[in-house]
């Protein structure tokens, strides 16, 4: 067939695809250049240590300011990056940006304990511990200021390989936390074999927490079992004062959620660090 005929066919095919699919194709293509075009940034969501409210802690959350679509949620682009081989580049950017920021805060006398999300693919990368170690040295940030959040599915895909990488990170002194706990298939017994120190109960169990709900049974027993295994527990997605009160009563170690603060741009997080410690949320301690 001649080229005109083919071009026509492609045209029909293109316009026949729905907008969502076209958006995906474009996001996948643009992701590869997002870092070098300086479209990425980290936001910081405060994490409140209920036993030590003066300690400054945060989770770094990736944001992508797309030139055409505006702010694209990581819930949308992280899974695309994982499927198309861009995730390691994103993780590398996140880790370096986190350390650059930790160094800048240290230079102003602020010691922040920062949690960063890493993906399944990163746990398959045996060079990760050494690379992170070099970055820590370069930015002069103690490993004790860094926690990596991993997911259950990330570990379960290839437990032996993941264990090797996790042990390497642990040997550097980096903290390890299991994110979205309760949504995967692993048990606390399996986690016990992983060198993790912390577990984050998924927000789906926290958001509508009432004393008598099924979620309450799950959350309470997860806290108790974790503590008997020597793990710290973070509740994520805390939106209501009542939930916070219950979590305190049940000895949850830390909380994160819109009730404490939404994720903040670096400058806003710096303002948050300066808040008086007797502000409403921290004083309920
Ligand atoms: P996550 O690590 O479980 O992070 C918590 C998510 O819940 C964040 O969404 C946060 O903004 C949101 N959140 C926090 N508190 C509340 C609350 O009280 N209510 C509600 N409704 N939501 C709350 P975000 O920033 O959109 O991130 C979504 C997910 O994308 C993250 O879930 C994480 O799995 C992934 N992600 C974000 N940044 C990165 C990154 O740098 N690397 C990787 N690999 N994944 C990332
Ligand atoms: Mg997380
Ligand atoms: Mg989570
Ligand atoms: Mg998540």
């Amino acid at each position: 067939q001649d080229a005109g005929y083919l071009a026509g066919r492609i045209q029909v095919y293109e316009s026949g695809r729905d907008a969502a699919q076209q958006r995906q194709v474009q996001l996948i293509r643009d992701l590869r250049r997002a870092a070098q075009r300086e479209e990425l940034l980290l936001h910081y969501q405060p994490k409140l240590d209920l036993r030590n409210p003066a300690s400054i802690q945060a989770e770094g959350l990736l944001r992508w300011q797309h030139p055409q679509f505006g702010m694209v949620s990581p819930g949308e682009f992280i899974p695309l990056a994982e499927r198309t081989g861009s995730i390691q580049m994103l993780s590398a950017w996140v880790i370096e940006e986190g350390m650059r920021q930790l160094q800048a805060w240290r230079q102003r006398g602020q010691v922040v304990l920062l949690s960063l999300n890493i993906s399944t693919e990163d746990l398959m990368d045996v060079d990760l511990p050494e690379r992170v170690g070099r970055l820590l040295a370069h930015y002069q940030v103690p490993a004790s200021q860094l926690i990596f959040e991993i997911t259950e599915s990330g570990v379960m895909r290839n437990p032996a390989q993941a264990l090797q990488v996790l042990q390497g990170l642990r040997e550097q002194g980096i903290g390890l936390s299991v994110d979205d706990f309760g949504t995967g298939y692993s048990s606390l017994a399996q986690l016990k074999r992983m060198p993790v120190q912390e577990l984050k109960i998924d927000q789906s169990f926290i958001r509508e927490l009432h004393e008598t709900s099924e979620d309450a049974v799950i959350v309470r027993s997860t806290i108790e079992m974790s503590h008997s295994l020597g793990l710290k527990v973070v509740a994520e997605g805390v939106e209501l004062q009542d939930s916070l009160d219950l979590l305190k009563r049940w000895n949850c170690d830390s909380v994160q959620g819109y009730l404490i603060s939404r994720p903040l741009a670096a400058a806003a997080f710096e303002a948050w660090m300066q808040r008086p410690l007797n502000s409403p949320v921290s004083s309920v301690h």
Side-chain angles (χ1 to χ4, degrees):
Q1 298 291 345
D2 68 307
Y5 171 80
L6 253 181
R9 291 279 300 258
I10 290 166
Q11 199 60 51
V12 169
Y13 174 70
E14 287 288 334
S15 58
R17 283 194 302 189
D18 56 79
Q21 219 174 337
Q22 280 186 30
R23 178 182 161 106
Q24 275 205 359
V25 171
Q26 193 176 340
L27 288 179
I28 290 166
R29 195 187 57 208
D30 295 346
L31 257 177
R32 294 186 205 115
R33 290 181 293 261
Q36 92 199 37
R37 290 183 177 176
E38 301 186 359
E39 295 165 0
L40 301 176
L41 62 158
L42 270 189
H43 278 187
Y44 300 87
Q45 185 177 36
K47 177 177 157 194
L48 182 65
D49 184 332
L50 293 169
R51 290 173 217 293
N52 184 12
S55 151
I56 305 168
Q57 308 186 3
E59 175 176 6
L61 293 160
L62 186 56
R63 298 292 179 257
W64 181 15
Q65 183 70 57
H66 189 278
Q68 195 180 325
F69 300 129
M71 207 59 111
V72 184
S73 154
E76 179 175 10
F77 70 81
I78 294 285
L80 294 179
E82 285 174 335
R83 286 212 310 268
T84 59
S86 294
I87 189 69
Q88 263 143 334
M89 178 272 290
L90 289 183
S91 296
W93 185 88
V94 167
I95 293 168
E96 180 139 19
E97 175 63 13
M99 292 203 205
R100 193 198 56 74
Q101 187 62 78
L102 285 177
Q103 182 191 45
W105 286 332
R106 281 180 70 83
Q107 286 166 348
R108 279 177 265 158
Q110 300 282 18
V111 176
V112 179
L113 177 59
L114 182 66
S115 300
L116 296 174
N117 296 281
I118 59 170
S119 117
T120 307
E121 299 304 320
D122 300 309
L123 292 181
M124 299 299 116
D125 176 4
V126 289
D127 297 327
L128 182 72
E130 205 194 309
R131 234 177 26 249
V132 177
R134 277 200 303 269
L135 281 169
L136 286 168
H138 176 77
Y139 287 98
Q140 296 176 289
V141 171
S144 58
Q145 270 185 258
L146 193 61
I147 296 177
F148 281 148
E149 297 189 3
I150 58 171
T151 59
E152 300 166 77
S153 54
V155 171
M156 294 315 147
R157 198 174 92 188
N158 184 344
Q161 176 95 53
L163 188 60
Q164 189 194 333
V165 173
L166 294 176
Q167 271 161 352
L169 292 169
R170 225 14 234 149
E171 280 159 21
Q172 306 267 355
I174 295 159
L176 298 172
S177 175
V178 178
D179 204 354
D180 304 341
F181 185 77
T183 59
Y185 296 99
S186 66
S187 63
L188 281 167
Q190 278 171 305
L191 284 180
K192 182 61 189 144
R193 277 182 247 124
M194 294 289 162
V196 300
Q197 297 78 51
E198 180 189 272
L199 183 156
K200 298 182 85 167
I201 302 179
D202 189 67
Q203 32 185 299
S204 57
F205 301 101
I206 305 296
R207 232 177 280 137
E208 287 157 34
L209 200 56
H210 305 289
E211 188 142 28
T212 54
S213 63
E214 227 168 74
D215 288 342
V217 179
I218 296 170
V219 170
R220 268 186 95 159
S221 56
T222 303
I223 294 171
E224 276 171 29
M225 283 189 283
S226 303
H227 284 167
S228 49
L229 291 169
L231 300 171
K232 291 257 168 89
V233 183
V234 184
E236 34 174 19
V238 180
E239 293 185 357
L240 305 170
Q241 182 65 47
D242 286 353
S243 315
L244 177 60
D245 293 338
L246 287 172
L247 290 162
K248 282 180 178 167
R249 188 142 41 93
W250 299 335
N251 284 319
C252 190
D253 300 279
S254 302
V255 289
Q256 219 184 318
Y258 293 171
L259 179 69
I260 319 305
S261 169
R262 287 181 177 259
L264 304 168
F269 179 70
E270 284 160 21
W272 188 87
M273 284 197 251
Q274 309 291 344
R275 81 204 185 286
L277 264 177
N278 58 2
S279 74
V281 179
S282 32
S283 67
V284 274
H285 174 70

